[in-house]
Amino acid sequence: MALRDMERDMAGCSRCSSCKWIPHSQVKSWRFASGCPSSTRHHFHAYSGSGKMIMGLSLLHGRSELNDGVAEIIYNCQLCGSCQVSCQVYRDDIDLSDVLLELRGKCVEDGFLILEHMEMLQSMKKEDNPLGMLKADRGRWAEGLDVPDIGQRQVEVLFHAGCRYSYDEDLRETLRETISLLSGSGVDIGIAGREEACCGGRAYELGYQGEMRNFADDMAGRVKASGAAILVTACSDCYYTFKYLYPKRGLDLGVEVLHVTELVGRMIKEGRIEPAGDVPMRVTYHDPCHLGRRGETYKAGWDGGDKLQRPVRFKQSGRMGVFDPPRDIIRALPGAELVEMERIREYSWCCGAGGGVLEAFPDFAAWTAADRLEEAAATGAEALVTACPWCVRIFRDTVTETGVEMKVYDVMELLSASLGGV
Ligand code: SF4
Ligand code: SF4
């Protein structure tokens, strides 16, 4: 796909500006009515989803040229997908999210690059992760764990830790507890250890679309070698890559892909995991964009012409993402009380870390996270719970920087606490 393939979508934008807000029917207060972090922060229409649609059409028709200013606007976007969801409510005959991805691709093609993104890509190529860490250290998080490496034997479930969880020492314990819980509950689970590599989704989102292929092929090879029927990850970005980006590029991993909350939620329902210990806490849940609205399975492109005519199964509305399993886990915890924020599920506000914004525009990323923490505090919750290591990382860092009173947990941490693990 290229920008020209989205011409009808871009030309179809009616400039109604609905993509800047959550849908009107969902607005509960003016304070938390915004949906697009980029236009809310930067106060210009150009930063909104619509602004980028108009920009893309103008570039395609040669009415304007790509320059540093335009590229900076294109990169100042978390690719959170809120604009796509809101636009679909009013205009389900056009698509927006893929335009944002294709604009990134054009920036890279035309040489408008971001230094921090280039460094991430170099690290991915050299060390198989975008964090500048050593490949040799990838498997250290699992040292001493009683879990098979797929290099030793085949397994039913392959667990993909992802880059953030593999290298972030503050988060590692959660991952170790998760693996112990699953294998202790009878799941035949294995890991790839130091042989695991990045899923490659970051490269695609940063605009280096072709680079994802190598990582995807590598991933497919590991899945096949493992003999697994299910691929599980605890990272929402990896989940999105497996569910959306790989199929979009024609790659089928040939296994069921689950987020860890889907697997655990299923096991709780089956009585295979029984939370017992009290977690006396009032919590609110943050939907990670790439697990929620962007975690929706890729639906094949519509080649029937007018998108107004396309059946619902071809529409990427964001409603079929993973929203309930993490909430079900929280509700299963004795003593825990779940209170919801104003912007939830497919209308959630982004944590700020996505789309390469955390690395290239850290102030914008932190501002976005601070806005969400304010919304969480307004519920009266003492803790914000989420299901993505990137969200946990930025929220914890923002709590430290701002001094706001809010604990931040991955939902698997609370489950482990209930089971006596931590
Ligand atoms: S909501 Fe859709 S149609 Fe309306 S301005 Fe945004 S992109 Fe254009
Ligand atoms: S993806 Fe998110 S940040 Fe980017 S334009 Fe859309 S709503 Fe705004």
Side-chain angles (χ1 to χ4, degrees):
M1 185 178 278
L3 204 51
R4 65 181 164 280
D5 298 318
M6 306 296 293
E7 185 174 4
R8 284 181 68 143
D9 302 80
M10 294 186 288
C13 168
S14 49
R15 308 187 189 188
C16 63
S17 279
S18 300
C19 47
K20 295 175 186 167
W21 313 95
I22 61 170
H24 300 168
S25 63
Q26 302 299 318
V27 172
K28 296 171 187 78
S29 75
W30 168 248
R31 172 64 187 85
F32 299 118
S34 294
C36 172
S38 189
S39 61
T40 308
R41 165 76 167 171
H42 299 289
H43 304 296
F44 280 100
H45 187 72
Y47 287 84
S48 68
S50 165
K52 295 182 184 92
M53 294 275 257
I54 295 165
M55 238 180 245
L57 193 65
S58 176
L59 292 171
L60 190 67
H61 289 174
R63 291 197 303 274
S64 60
E65 286 179 356
L66 200 50
N67 57 36
D68 289 337
V70 171
E72 178 158 334
I73 291 171
I74 291 169
Y75 286 121
N76 256 286
C77 160
Q78 282 97 347
L79 299 173
C80 71
S82 172
C83 49
Q84 164 85 10
V85 167
S86 289
C87 180
Q88 286 277 303
V89 169
Y90 308 100
R91 291 291 312 278
D92 67 354
D93 57 330
I94 57 175
D95 284 305
L96 174 45
S97 282
D98 285 345
V99 171
L100 307 182
L101 287 169
E102 295 311 325
L103 281 170
R104 298 272 182 114
K106 178 154 181 57
C107 283
V108 169
E109 204 179 293
D110 291 4
F112 289 92
L113 310 176
I114 297 272
L115 179 63
E116 291 82 357
H117 292 179
M118 290 163 70
E119 288 170 353
M120 289 165 77
L121 189 76
Q122 284 312 312
S123 172
M124 287 172 73
K125 284 178 161 180
K126 191 161 171 266
E127 303 289 347
D128 280 342
N129 73 83
L131 299 168
M133 306 300 274
L134 294 175
K135 169 86 177 170
D137 290 339
R138 179 124 195 158
R140 284 186 57 198
W141 68 269
E143 276 174 8
L145 269 185
D146 185 19
V147 58
D149 188 296
I150 55 167
Q152 297 161 344
R153 73 164 174 85
Q154 297 210 323
V155 292
E156 283 172 24
V157 177
L158 172 60
F159 187 87
H160 178 80
C163 300
R164 173 56 70 185
Y165 254 139
S166 294
Y167 288 108
D168 195 320
E169 293 192 17
D170 181 37
L171 307 180
R172 262 183 207 167
E173 199 49 36
T174 304
L175 201 56
R176 291 172 63 85
E177 294 281 351
T178 299
I179 291 291
S180 299
L181 167 64
L182 291 171
S183 63
S185 304
V187 179
D188 180 23
I189 196 164
I191 60 171
R194 66 176 288 175
E195 294 309 316
E196 187 183 287
C198 180
C199 64
R202 267 290 194 276
Y204 196 99
E205 287 201 325
L206 298 181
Y208 301 86
Q209 300 177 347
E211 300 288 347
M212 187 181 75
R213 188 79 220 186
N214 293 336
F215 294 98
D217 288 345
D218 191 43
M219 189 69 217
R222 252 191 324 281
V223 167
K224 196 165 177 212
S226 74
I230 302 175
L231 172 65
V232 174
T233 183
C235 176
S236 64
D237 280 26
C238 300
Y239 183 82
Y240 160 71
T241 302
F242 301 148
K243 298 283 274 200
Y244 187 87
L245 291 180
Y246 283 8
K248 179 174 156 64
R249 298 298 280 201
L251 186 89
D252 179 6
L253 287 173
V255 289
E256 184 181 16
V257 175
L258 294 176
H259 187 258
V260 70
T261 58
E262 292 181 287
L263 177 62
V264 168
R266 205 183 268 182
M267 291 172 73
I268 290 176
K269 277 190 184 136
E270 291 167 359
R272 293 167 65 193
I273 296 176
E274 294 181 30
D278 258 12
V279 184
M281 209 181 278
R282 192 168 209 231
V283 306
T284 191
Y285 177 71
H286 166 77
D287 291 282
C289 304
H290 287 73
L291 179 63
R293 57 180 168 245
R294 305 236 65 201
E296 202 171 66
T297 304
Y298 175 74
K299 292 157 188 165
W302 169 247
D303 54 10
D306 189 347
K307 283 186 176 174
L308 199 55
Q309 309 297 330
R310 65 182 166 166
V312 73
R313 70 177 185 282
F314 286 104
K315 293 177 185 173
Q316 214 78 43
S317 69
R319 285 175 207 153
M320 304 305 287
V322 178
F323 302 113
D324 290 315
R327 288 180 168 81
D328 290 344
I329 295 172
I330 293 171
R331 289 194 188 100
L333 301 174
E337 181 195 358
L338 175 65
V339 284
E340 295 282 12
M341 286 183 269
E342 292 190 18
R343 296 171 290 191
I344 57 169
R345 301 176 73 90
E346 66 266 40
Y347 316 117
S348 177
W349 179 257
C350 174
C351 76
V357 168
L358 176 64
E359 295 79 5
F361 309 103
D363 289 351
F364 174 33
W367 172 87
T368 308
D371 195 80
R372 189 57 159 169
L373 286 165
E374 203 177 305
E375 187 176 357
T379 66
E382 62 191 278
L384 178 149
V385 181
T386 188
C388 171
W390 294 91
C391 300
V392 172
R393 183 70 277 141
I394 191 169
F395 283 135
R396 282 192 183 161
D397 290 348
T398 307
V399 163
T400 305
E401 278 160 27
T402 60
V404 64
E405 286 200 18
M406 183 64 63
K407 295 174 199 132
V408 177
Y409 297 110
D410 187 300
V411 66
M412 296 305 297
E413 270 181 288
L414 294 192
L415 178 61
S416 291
S418 176
L419 295 165
V422 291

